[in-house]
Amino acid sequence: MPNEKLMTKTIDASELSFNDFKSIVINDYKIAFESRQASILGRREVLTGKAKFGIFGDGKEVPQLAMAKAFKNGDWRSGYYRDQTFAFATGISTIKEFFAQLYANPTEGADPFSGGRQMNCHFATKSVNEDGSWNDLTQIKNCSSDISPTGGQMARLVGLAYASKLFRQNKELDYLKHFSVNGNEVAFGTIGNASTSEGVFFEAINAAGVLQIPMAISIWDDNYGISVPAKYQTTKEDISEVLKGFQRNPDQLGYEIYKVKGWDYPALCEVYEKAINVCREEHVPVLIHVTELTQPQGHSTSGSHERYKSKDRLSWETEHDCIQKMRSWMLDSAIATEEEIAEVEKNAKVFVRNAQKEAWNEFLDSIKPEQKQVVDLIGGIAKHQPELAKIAATLASTADAQRREVFAAARKAIRLSAGFITPERNELLAWYKQQAHLNYNRYNSKLHTNGKESPDTIAVVEPTYDDQSKMVDGREVLNACFNENFARDPRLVAFGEDLGNIGDVNQGFAGLQAKYGELRITDTGIREMTIMGQGIGLAMRGLKPIAEIQYLDYLIFALNVLSDDLASLSYRTKGIQKAPVIVRTRGHRLEGIWHSGSPICMILGALRGMHLCVPRNMTQAAGMYNTLFRADEPALVIECLNGYRLKERLPDNVGDFTVPLGKAEVLEEGTDITVISYGSSLRIVQEAAEELSLMDISVEIIDPQTLLPFDTEQVCVNSLAKTSRLLVVDEDVPGGASAYILQKVLEEQKGYFHLDGQPKTLSAKAHRPPFGSDGDYFSKPSVDDVIETVYGMMHDANPAKYPSLF
Ligand SMILES: Cc1ncc(C[n+]2csc(CCOP(=O)(O)OP(=O)(O)O)c2C)c(N)n1
Ligand SMILES: [Mg+2]
């Protein structure tokens, strides 16, 4: 629980006595000064080798006091690595926790933001519990987990602010008491001046202006981005100047834009109060350009700014140091005497030093017992193998041992004692195995939320059909599925390009905007990054977004947001935040270079932490959506672009039946060869199998249905045990997703054991397919390609029965 006494307080001049005012200001000064000390000490800790890297908020302290004053319970922050003062002033972080993160302490509770996983100054608050259940987010000051890619916080910021709009305007959401009070919550963003050069910044600024949402973006302008000055970053070297066109006027909606000097404490307090009131009350986005900031210690611990700042600039920075300026203002306006300030400063230094020491000692103390255990255990083995005594002695004498040194010693002793089975060695082995579990929890756990609403927990419900079940276009199966789920769960919203009025380019949502309203089924601008960010922010605030990318080929425009932010969220916060976004898109073969993409290995590489669903038809897609809508983990669903008009039988329970994730299906049984494929390629494989059966080749076809997770019930290897031959067919590049499938089946499932011949892959060509049917035929696997490849493998096995074709 944050300590209220340490936090900043709002200044209400009409009600305050001078003494109250004075004590608030002095307390603010104390917070700023402590924060500065933390930066100075933090840098020292890195330079003396106790931490690996440090980036600090020195030079940005004073505006963050003002921002913290305007920040209320229920509000959200989406910012970057300079915001430690804000975190201290709101109680989001203590100084000790700040240092624990600097040391990468993975002990439970030490770094409450990331469990020792993130670099320093990457804050987060606890939205969810260990079992994935939500906390009451209206009662805390919320901080969405920071990421290092600068500008990356902007996409999510749009969604965090957009949620307030939905909560205020959609009365059906009133029952969600833990997430909002009438949409009164402001989403505060922070960004460095140089990072406003990023595309995602401009995309987010425009989106928030269009959406009219309570987003308050502060730009900390210190004139630099590492060594590169504003001249190379920003047109006119002035971001609020160039954004002036966004300013609202009596006839047009837009922004309120403010510009204020970063060392002017009273002006900052006034601007933040005014700006945030407008933002909160009227749901108007505001931009606060905070200028004349400095970096007293340079950018980070990676180098010194004397290399690239002129003497003039450096002395200007000393003169304009915001803490010094605040100090002078306090003296000039008789708020505090020199003695009072000196006393605050003296105490702050001691306080920060003590917090740092405590954090360091706790970090070391968490490893020392392990160090001692390993020294003793290896010492035991050394009774039989004296040469191991040296390993124990070296470890014993390692001051401030890191965990990796402890484990390296243990593993070396295990290696060197192989073949000398003794009770002491068994003891070390037992210890090592037990620790593996703890280390998994510390360093590898929580790739997924794995809570009580994990997709694994969703009951499997088979689709049901009766004599009346109609054959309909695939798109109508989806439409019916969405319709039933939107009626069932008011938290569901869907948005994307052309998704609202016309119900998406393939009409999966046709007619649903008219039924459920524009707030739930919504058109967006062409802005893939912030469509994803809109989903992330909404999902972090308890809603269930379906965020659409119009074609899989355009996922690349949003891959940074999905990979850096969404897919990493559970892992990087060690499960204290979640964002169950369902990304819907359509892909695989259709037409031309940008409408037939199937870049699955790109996705598999970038999106671990999400589920990847590759349904072969719209019924399977609907079943997967039904699972995901009831679960709380993010997923990408790729519908088959060429499947919307194919006929499928509409299940009676289209909104309720579920397809479990990771459940591979045998589509056709066979005995000669196992062919694994997914998505649109399956129809090609099925057609090929018919002709192959006429050639006396019996093909077993397996559809894994989801690639993340992949075939959790070992259907593939069981098939191989029967056929002994394996072909993987897909539309990705050679060595793409097919290589992933081989790794899963041959290595993880140990399929190599059953093989009688070389396993093969049949993929698309390395280039994208040219336009036209012939382009497709000569680029993607065709029925002929599948037949010839399978036949060739059978020829290798039995040339007498299957004579060479060519
Ligand atoms: C997308 C991305 N590109 C590059 C970097 C490397 N980098 C880290 S901080 C930084 C400068 C950022 O400057 P600014 O936004 O002005 O913030 P400041 O550090 O000055 O407060 C750069 C280039 C990064 N982290 N992310
Ligand atoms: Mg900067």
Side-chain angles (χ1 to χ4, degrees), residues 60 80 192-194 220-226 295:
K60 318 279 187 297
Y80 81 118
N193 58 297
W220 306 146
D221 191 345
D222 56 16
N223 207 54
Y224 281 83
I226 311 186
Q295 296 178 350

Side-chain angles (χ1 to χ4, degrees), residues 480-551:
C481 164
F482 294 145
N483 180 32
E484 292 204 4
N485 280 287
F486 271 67
R488 179 183 62 80
D489 189 344
R491 294 172 301 173
L492 279 169
V493 286
F495 44 86
E497 296 152 20
D498 301 288
L499 186 139
N501 189 19
I502 64 166
D504 86 50
V505 285
N506 295 92
Q507 299 185 332
F509 276 97
L512 299 187
Q513 186 183 69
K515 193 162 172 188
Y516 296 104
E518 263 185 66
L519 286 173
R520 294 190 63 195
I521 316 270
T522 313
D523 280 320
T524 67
I526 305 173
R527 48 176 181 81
E528 284 77 12
M529 285 187 278
T530 51
I531 293 173
M532 295 301 100
Q534 206 168 323
I536 296 169
L538 291 184
M540 285 181 133
R541 296 191 59 189
L543 297 173
K544 294 220 155 210
I546 303 166
E548 179 166 309
I549 296 286
Q550 195 160 72
Y551 296 97

Side-chain angles (χ1 to χ4, degrees), residues 470-474 476-477 645-650:
K470 284 186 296 188
M471 291 299 285
V472 296
D473 283 353
E476 293 176 88
V477 177
R645 302 214 169 269
L646 299 179
K647 295 290 180 201
E648 297 183 31
R649 214 160 150 220
L650 181 69

Side-chain angles (χ1 to χ4, degrees), residues 283-353:
H283 275 194
V284 168
V286 298
L287 183 139
I288 304 163
H289 183 193
V290 182
T291 61
E292 299 197 8
L293 288 169
T294 67
Q295 296 178 350
Q297 303 190 107
H299 173 76
S300 71
T301 52
S302 299
S304 74
H305 56 160
E306 285 80 11
R307 285 176 300 160
Y308 49 79
K309 284 180 188 162
S310 68
K311 281 213 169 70
D312 283 354
R313 171 73 196 182
L314 288 167
S315 65
W316 181 91
E317 290 203 9
T318 310
E319 273 165 39
H320 290 81
D321 184 305
C322 60
I323 294 187
Q324 282 308 313
K325 285 271 195 189
M326 182 175 177
R327 194 181 199 279
S328 307
W329 169 79
M330 285 161 68
L331 289 170
D332 292 348
S333 45
I335 291 169
T337 62
E338 183 64 48
E339 292 69 36
E340 284 173 311
I341 296 179
E343 180 71 11
V344 168
E345 292 172 350
K346 192 179 87 197
N347 292 340
K349 283 185 184 167
V350 175
F351 175 73
V352 173
R353 182 78 181 137

